[in-house]
Amino acid sequence: MNLPFAENYKIKMVEPIYRSTREQRVQWIADANYNLFNLSSDKVFIDLLTDSGTGAMSDRQWAAIMTGDESYAGSSSYYHLKEKIQTIFGFEHFLPTHQGRAAENVLFSVLLKEGDLVPGNSHFDTTKGHIEYRKAKAIDCTIDEAFDTDSTFPFKGNVDLAKLEKVFKLQPQKNIPAMIMTITCNSSGGQPVSMANLKAVKEMATEYGVPVIFDSARFAENAWFIQQREEGYSTKTIKEIVKEMFTYADAMTMSSKKDGAVNIGGFMAMRNIDWYDKASTFNIMYEGFVTYGGMAGRDMNALAVGLDEVTTNDFLDTRIKQVQYLGNKLMEYGIPIQQPIGGHAVFVDAKKFLPYVPKEEYIAQTLAIILYLEAGVRGVEVGTLLADRDPETNDNRYPKLEFLRLAIPRRTYSNNHMDVVAAGLKNIFEIRDEIRTGLLIRKEAAIMRHFTVLLEKVKS
Ligand SMILES: *Cc1c(COP(=O)(O)O)cnc(C)c1O
C-alpha cells in the first residue's frame, strides 16, 4: 500500500476554539448587521475569512523573533531581509511597509496621476481602491476562461494579450505609467499565471514602454502551480522558478501576510533607483524610516525566515494539498466551485449554488451568512459587495462571478475542520431550492464598502 500524504510538521502549541449553537449565531449575526467582518472572532468556530496574517509561524520564525534588532536606523533585521529579498527575487532596492496596501499606496504615490490607465489581471480590491482613489482607472485584461468556473484551464490568471494591446494602443504611453500582474490572481479565484504569460506580457509591455509591477502576495503558490502544470518546470525548484518569474518584473508590491508567512508586514522592491528614491520619501511620510517602514525588527527577521520557508515544496505541498482536500470534498458533494482549485482558497460559485436569489440581493453574501448560521464557519463574499459601485454612475457593479471564498490559513486547521466546512455546505446545498431571498444594504462606504457595510434580510 502506498503511504498517504501527511503534513510535514508536528504541532507544538494549540489555541482552543469555541463551537457555538445555531441560536447563538442567529442572534450574533443579526447584531453584526449581516456583515461577517463585524463578528468578534470568538463567535467563529472555523475562520476562513482570509489567509492574510492568520497562519501559524514555524519554530524557526519564532526563534528569529527573539534575535530581532529594534534599532530605528540600520537595524540588522533590515539587512537580513534586504539580503533575502535580493536572493529570492533579484531586486536591488526594497522598502518595508506595514502591509501590502501600504506598499501600493507608497509606490502608486510615485507612479500614478489622475486620468492614468493601469491594465492588469483582475486587480485586487485594495489595488483597485488605490488606483481609483487617485482618479486613475484599473482595466481588467484577464483571459475569458477565468470567468467560466467549469473550465479547467490551468492558468486562469493569465492576461489576454489582445486585450492588453488594445489598452496600450488606446492612450499614449505617458498615461499608462505601469501595468500590474497579480500572482496568483485572487479576484478570479486564486488562479495562477503561467511563466509563458509573464514573459509574453513583459515583452509586450517593454515594446510599448510600460513597466510591469507584480502584485506578489501569493507568488510562491504561483510558482508551485508553474512547477506542477507548465511544461519544462517539473524538475525545477520553487526558488529557481520564483527567480525566473521576477526577471519579468520591474518592481513588486508584497503583502507579507500571505506568502511571507508572517502575521503583519509588507514591502515593495524594484530595480529602478529613481523610483526607489522617490518612494523613500513617501515611505518616510506614510510608513516610517526606510530601514523599518512600519515593521518591528523582530517581524522583519521572521519575514526573512518565512520567505525562505514558503519557497520550498515542503511548505507548498502541504499547504496547497489541504486547499485541494476541501475543494475535492465539495466537488464530491456536487457543489459548484471554481476549477481548477486555487492555491489559497476554495471559491464556491454562489450564482450556481443559489440560483433563485436575485443578483440585487447579494447572492454570495447571502450564502456566506447561511454557512455561518449552519456551521459557525466564516467565509467571505467575493462578488457584488466587493466590486463597489461604479465611481461615475454610482450603480452597483455586478461582476460576472459571485463567489463565496473559503480561504485557508497556513498551517492552522486540520482536515477534520475541512470536513466540518464541507458538511455545512452540503446541508445547505440540499435545501438550496428553498432559498429565494437575500440581503439589502442599509449603509455603505464609498470605497471598499464590504468591510463596513450594514445589511438586513429581505423579507420573504
Ligand atoms: C492581500 C493582498 C493585497 C493587500 O495586502 P494587505 O497586506 O492586506 O494590505 C494586495 N494584493 C493582493 C493580491 C493581495 O492578496
Side-chain angles (χ1 to χ4, degrees):
M1 181 178 185
N2 286 338
L3 298 179
F5 180 78
E7 293 76 8
N8 63 332
Y9 54 81
K10 56 183 179 175
I11 295 165
K12 205 177 296 214
M13 192 186 284
V14 296
E15 175 184 342
I17 48 179
Y18 174 65
R19 196 163 190 162
S20 53
T21 64
R22 178 182 278 271
E23 289 67 41
Q24 285 176 314
R25 294 193 290 270
V26 167
Q27 184 61 48
W28 292 339
I29 198 62
D31 293 345
N33 293 288
Y34 300 93
N35 180 346
L36 292 154
F37 286 96
N38 287 338
L39 282 178
S40 63
S41 63
D42 57 348
K43 299 185 172 67
V44 177
F45 180 47
I46 300 170
D47 204 348
L48 307 186
L49 183 78
T50 175
D51 65 328
S52 178
T54 53
M57 291 204 296
S58 69
D59 54 354
R60 288 175 56 219
Q61 288 181 287
W62 282 106
I65 291 254
M66 296 310 294
T67 55
D69 173 358
E70 304 306 336
S71 304
Y72 191 99
S75 146
S76 65
S77 304
Y78 165 81
Y79 289 108
H80 283 159
L81 182 53
K82 183 177 163 71
E83 196 186 311
K84 191 58 74 184
I85 288 170
Q86 227 163 34
T87 310
I88 291 181
F89 303 104
F91 289 118
E92 178 118 10
H93 311 294
F94 118 91
L95 286 165
T97 60
H98 80 276
Q99 59 184 87
R101 68 198 68 185
E104 293 167 354
N105 186 31
V106 168
L107 193 57
F108 293 174
S109 294
V110 175
L111 298 179
L112 300 193
K113 59 180 188 317
E114 186 172 339
D116 283 345
L117 300 185
V118 186
N121 53 343
S122 302
H123 308 64
F124 188 68
D125 57 343
T126 61
T127 315
K128 198 173 195 165
H130 275 297
I131 291 169
E132 291 179 351
Y133 178 73
R134 289 172 172 80
K135 298 195 161 55
K137 211 165 161 187
I139 300 186
D140 187 3
C141 301
T142 314
I143 53 169
D144 291 333
E145 287 89 334
F147 305 102
D148 172 6
T149 53
D150 287 332
S151 155
T152 54
F153 189 74
F155 292 102
K156 284 180 166 181
N158 280 1
V159 153
D160 182 326
L161 292 165
K163 289 186 194 172
L164 182 64
E165 188 153 42
K166 231 185 195 166
V167 180
F168 284 162
K169 285 187 164 152
L170 206 65
Q171 286 224 29
Q173 183 262 322
K174 68 176 178 35
N175 293 334
I176 310 178
M179 70 163 296
I180 293 175
M181 290 298 283
T182 309
I183 53 173
T184 58
C185 191
N186 192 342
S187 311
S188 78
Q191 299 295 320
V193 181
S194 71
M195 191 74 87
N197 193 249
L198 291 175
K199 187 173 181 202
V201 163
K202 177 64 180 153
E203 278 169 10
M204 180 178 283
T206 304
E207 195 184 310
Y208 286 89
V210 176
V212 179
I213 299 168
F214 283 3
D215 181 357
S216 321
R218 296 185 180 81
F219 73 95
E221 291 169 10
N222 200 98
W224 188 89
F225 284 116
I226 288 174
Q227 187 191 52
Q228 304 291 315
R229 295 178 184 169
E230 194 162 350
E231 215 185 302
Y233 289 93
S234 64
T235 58
K236 292 219 169 19
T237 65
I238 297 294
K239 284 193 168 64
E240 286 167 345
I241 295 170
V242 167
K243 201 67 183 273
E244 183 185 340
M245 283 161 61
F246 282 84
T247 60
Y248 306 123
D250 297 282
M252 68 185 287
T253 54
M254 175 68 187
S255 169
S256 307
K257 305 173 71 172
K258 321 283 176 45
D259 279 353
V262 293
N263 301 116
I264 193 74
F267 62 87
M268 75 208 82
M270 64 281 274
R271 291 180 222 291
N272 184 324
I273 182 90
D274 180 47
W275 284 11
Y276 172 78
D277 286 342
K278 288 180 177 146
S280 294
T281 305
F282 287 107
N283 217 65
I284 292 168
M285 283 199 298
Y286 295 143
E287 293 296 300
F289 183 61
V290 295
T291 63
Y292 74 88
M295 289 186 76
R298 64 181 83 97
D299 288 339
M300 288 193 279
N301 259 13
L303 174 56
V305 176
L307 289 172
D308 208 36
E309 285 181 358
V310 300
T311 47
T312 61
N313 274 92
D314 267 352
F315 176 88
L316 290 165
D317 290 353
T318 299
R319 155 117 185 106
I320 299 178
K321 281 188 173 148
Q322 184 169 51
V323 177
Q324 293 178 338
Y325 176 86
L326 175 61
N328 286 329
K329 196 122 227 176
L330 295 180
M331 286 201 288
E332 241 172 69
Y333 296 155
I335 293 169
I337 63 170
Q338 164 82 306
Q339 295 190 49
I341 298 162
H344 69 291
V346 176
F347 288 69
V348 179
D349 185 333
K351 274 193 198 170
K352 285 191 190 151
F353 194 113
L354 294 179
Y356 301 114
V357 176
K359 71 177 193 302
E360 293 78 11
E361 296 179 12
Y362 309 103
I363 305 165
Q365 179 70 7
T366 300
L367 183 57
I369 298 295
I370 297 172
L371 177 61
Y372 172 71
L373 291 172
E374 175 66 25
V377 172
R378 173 158 68 174
V380 74
E381 189 249 26
V382 176
T384 308
L385 283 179
L386 184 73
D388 278 335
R389 290 178 186 275
D390 185 304
E392 276 153 35
T393 66
N394 205 38
D395 291 334
N396 264 335
R397 287 189 278 215
Y398 294 105
K400 289 180 200 149
L401 296 173
E402 286 265 351
F403 286 124
L404 163 62
R405 188 188 75 179
L406 304 165
I408 303 186
R410 295 165 183 76
R411 309 185 275 213
T412 303
Y413 291 111
S414 72
N415 285 358
N416 288 335
H417 293 114
M418 298 304 116
D419 289 344
V420 171
V421 177
L425 275 169
K426 180 171 186 281
N427 291 345
I428 303 165
F429 196 58
E430 281 164 2
I431 57 152
R432 64 190 181 279
D433 288 353
E434 295 162 29
I435 303 166
R436 308 225 161 201
T437 57
L439 301 157
L440 56 91
I441 291 182
R442 261 194 11 237
K443 192 170 171 215
E444 66 187 294
I447 286 184
M448 289 187 253
R449 61 180 178 178
H450 62 289
F451 287 120
T452 53
V453 66
L454 305 185
L455 297 151
E456 63 187 62
K457 278 210 276 200
V458 172
K459 303 265 180 307
S460 46

